[in-house]
Amino acid sequence: MKFASADVTRYYNANTKSFLARGQGGSHGAIHRAVWGAGVRSRREAFHFVHRLLRREMTIVRASKVLDLGCGTGVSLAAVVEGSDAVAYGVTNSSVHARLARERLGERATIYERDFCSESLPRGIDIAFGIESFVHAPDP
């Protein structure tokens, strides 16, 4: 089933507070699922497993510009660019997510409130990623 961007926006604006309060990743600020990959021994590590993979990839390609498509509250973007000099960009269609991501990342990132499927995105990106956000895209 496909949902219109406005429906996705309403869903996250209405439910993010509950996800953070009651969701498994809420204590970590994450609203995505934990990934129990190789070497993961705790729930905290599981929520950051994909972030580790992305940081490794950033090093390989010497990424200087990173884009999180569907950045949510900014947890993943913050974790991925931590300790790097990369310029960070996030895109979310939720005003609640945009506010929380801006609070979390401050001057570290530029957060755009728009639909990553139909609106313009920053140019010259070295690595773009989306953690679970592609489920909202009409064509991943």
Side-chain angles (χ1 to χ4, degrees), residues 50-70 76-77 80-81 84 86-91 121-131 134:
V50 174
H51 305 153
R52 276 192 338 207
L53 297 177
L54 287 163
R55 279 195 304 272
R56 185 178 326 144
E57 189 66 22
M58 279 179 57
T59 302
I60 292 168
V61 300
R62 297 183 180 143
S64 63
K65 291 185 178 181
V66 177
L67 172 62
D68 185 348
L69 299 163
S76 294
L77 186 56
V80 169
V81 299
S84 78
V87 177
Y89 301 94
V91 178
L121 298 172
R123 311 229 343 112
I125 300 299
D126 298 305
I127 289 183
F129 67 92
I131 300 176
F134 288 108

Side-chain angles (χ1 to χ4, degrees), residues 3-85:
F3 295 96
S5 180
D7 294 332
V8 175
T9 299
R10 277 191 296 281
Y11 173 79
Y12 282 108
N13 284 347
N15 293 295
T16 294
K17 183 177 179 180
S18 178
F19 294 156
L20 292 172
R22 296 181 188 89
Q24 294 181 351
S27 63
H28 309 287
I31 60 172
H32 62 269
R33 290 179 174 88
V35 177
W36 291 85
V40 171
R41 295 175 303 280
S42 69
R43 181 169 303 282
R44 178 169 183 74
E45 289 179 5
F47 278 106
H48 293 290
F49 177 75
V50 174
H51 305 153
R52 276 192 338 207
L53 297 177
L54 287 163
R55 279 195 304 272
R56 185 178 326 144
E57 189 66 22
M58 279 179 57
T59 302
I60 292 168
V61 300
R62 297 183 180 143
S64 63
K65 291 185 178 181
V66 177
L67 172 62
D68 185 348
L69 299 163
C71 68
T73 63
V75 169
S76 294
L77 186 56
V80 169
V81 299
E82 181 180 356
S84 78
D85 293 327

Side-chain angles (χ1 to χ4, degrees), residues 8-9 12-13 16 92-99 113-114:
V8 175
T9 299
Y12 282 108
N13 284 347
T16 294
T92 178
N93 64 355
S94 164
S95 59
V96 171
H97 287 181
R99 180 181 52 78
E113 188 179 329
R114 59 179 62 150

